[in-house]
Amino acid sequence: MKTHFAVAAALALFALSASAQSDNFSGRATLTVLPAHPDTQDASLSAGQLAVKLDGKQAAIASLTQLTSANSPLELVLLIDGSVRASLYGQAGDIIEFAKEIPSNTTMAIAYMESGRAALEGPLSSDPAAVEHGLHMTGGGPGSNASPYFCLSDLARNWPSKATGARRVIVMITDGVDEYDQRFDADDPYVQSAINDSLRAGIVIFTMYWHDQGRASNSERSTDTGQNHLSQATQATGGNSYWQGNSNPVSLNPYFEDLRRRLRSEYALVVSAPFKGKPFTASLKLKATAPNAKITTPQSIYLSNTSAAQ
């Protein structure tokens, strides 16, 4: 009797121990590696130069791969605020030129922010003429986008491709003002939801600030609010925000040139660490010993249970 009790107790203890064990969670992040000094031509990075923490927990580096045209297809959507109206279309030439110069590994599409959704003008294409065909003047008044972050979430959830392994990039042209709450709130639920949806979909966000000239509330406070929310989205996903003070730039071309440079200088980082529970978004902290490199890394990463997927 005592033997049976001892065996049952041991089995119960084993089951409890097994249930408390953590599974292996992994995630993929895109790093941008640029020269640390202007006079330096190239910058490189190796896994041995990195240490990574996920939610404060030391993580293992599964791989670090430099992304080149040969091994990394790129899908890019230019998401234009439907409220910008005619003010943006002096920049149509710069947008068309960017589409013409996309490399052979890249497909691109144009979408517009309309009533809380991202309205695609066509499929992802490597044909600049097809992309250009989607560029048109918007007729929406101020606020017709509903919220740029609703539109961002919609595009992230309904990405126009099922290709596996392709990098995903969204370039938002907007003032970033959320019509549902024009105050700056670091925990704005719409901004945070859009960030989480983008991280889950593996999207890196870049933003180009363009102020809607028709907006009645063109105060400095609303400008700062929009720019700060856009910065939250780019920093969380590892992209970059472009703006020129409180005014619109004379040309978008310098922004596009820097964007091209960054997209040519990316690495895919795959990391793993033991966690319990469902897939989630974790903070990503990276420490590098690469004195010749300036590294842009996302602040967050989406982790899934790789043990359960196997």
Side-chain angles (χ1 to χ4, degrees), residues 66-186:
Q66 186 171 9
L67 300 174
T68 63
S69 298
N71 70 358
S72 179
L74 172 65
E75 298 174 344
L76 186 150
V77 176
L78 184 64
L79 182 58
I80 300 174
D81 196 324
S83 300
V84 297
R85 300 191 293 177
S87 61
L88 176 66
Y89 289 90
Q91 309 298 324
D94 289 345
I95 296 173
I96 292 169
E97 191 64 27
F98 176 74
K100 286 181 177 178
E101 294 185 8
I102 59 175
S104 59
N105 69 318
T106 303
T107 54
M108 179 177 169
I110 291 178
Y112 293 88
M113 301 179 190
E114 296 178 359
S115 303
R117 59 183 288 268
L120 282 156
E121 293 299 310
L124 290 160
S125 174
S126 58
D127 180 4
V131 177
E132 182 182 346
H133 183 72
L135 186 63
H136 61 75
M137 189 176 297
T138 60
S144 62
N145 61 14
S147 165
Y149 309 103
F150 287 179
C151 303
L152 177 56
S153 280
D154 179 65
L155 181 54
R157 293 174 182 175
N158 301 282
W159 190 255
S161 166
K162 301 299 182 185
T164 59
R167 284 180 287 165
R168 294 176 174 181
V169 169
I170 293 176
V171 181
M172 300 173 69
I173 300 181
T174 179
D175 60 13
V177 176
D178 185 350
E179 294 297 329
Y180 289 90
D181 188 353
Q182 296 188 17
R183 301 173 299 110
F184 176 69
D185 177 3

Side-chain angles (χ1 to χ4, degrees), residues 236-306:
T237 62
N240 192 54
S241 294
Y242 301 97
W243 64 68
Q244 183 177 293
N246 296 341
S247 60
N248 292 335
V250 174
S251 170
L252 292 178
N253 190 51
Y255 296 170
F256 283 127
E257 285 184 355
D258 187 74
L259 175 61
R260 291 188 196 98
R261 181 175 68 117
R262 289 175 180 272
L263 295 177
R264 291 194 303 263
S265 307
E266 292 185 331
Y267 285 70
L269 173 68
V270 178
V271 292
S272 64
F275 287 99
K276 293 185 291 185
K278 298 179 180 179
F280 69 105
T281 299
S283 67
L284 173 65
K285 300 292 185 183
L286 184 147
K287 185 176 181 180
T289 54
N292 295 324
K294 181 180 179 181
I295 304 169
T296 300
T297 179
Q299 293 177 338
S300 303
I301 186 171
Y302 184 71
L303 300 175
S304 59
N305 186 333
T306 50

Side-chain angles (χ1 to χ4, degrees), residues 195 199 205 207 227-241 243 296-300:
I195 288 171
L199 289 168
I205 300 167
T207 63
Q227 291 180 347
N228 281 320
H229 279 155
L230 294 176
S231 288
Q232 281 185 287
T234 58
Q235 290 172 9
T237 62
N240 192 54
S241 294
W243 64 68
T296 300
T297 179
Q299 293 177 338
S300 303

Side-chain angles (χ1 to χ4, degrees), residues 209 211 217-228 246:
Y209 179 83
H211 183 71
S217 57
N218 60 347
S219 66
E220 184 174 345
R221 185 176 69 174
S222 66
T223 296
D224 289 343
T225 294
Q227 291 180 347
N228 281 320
N246 296 341

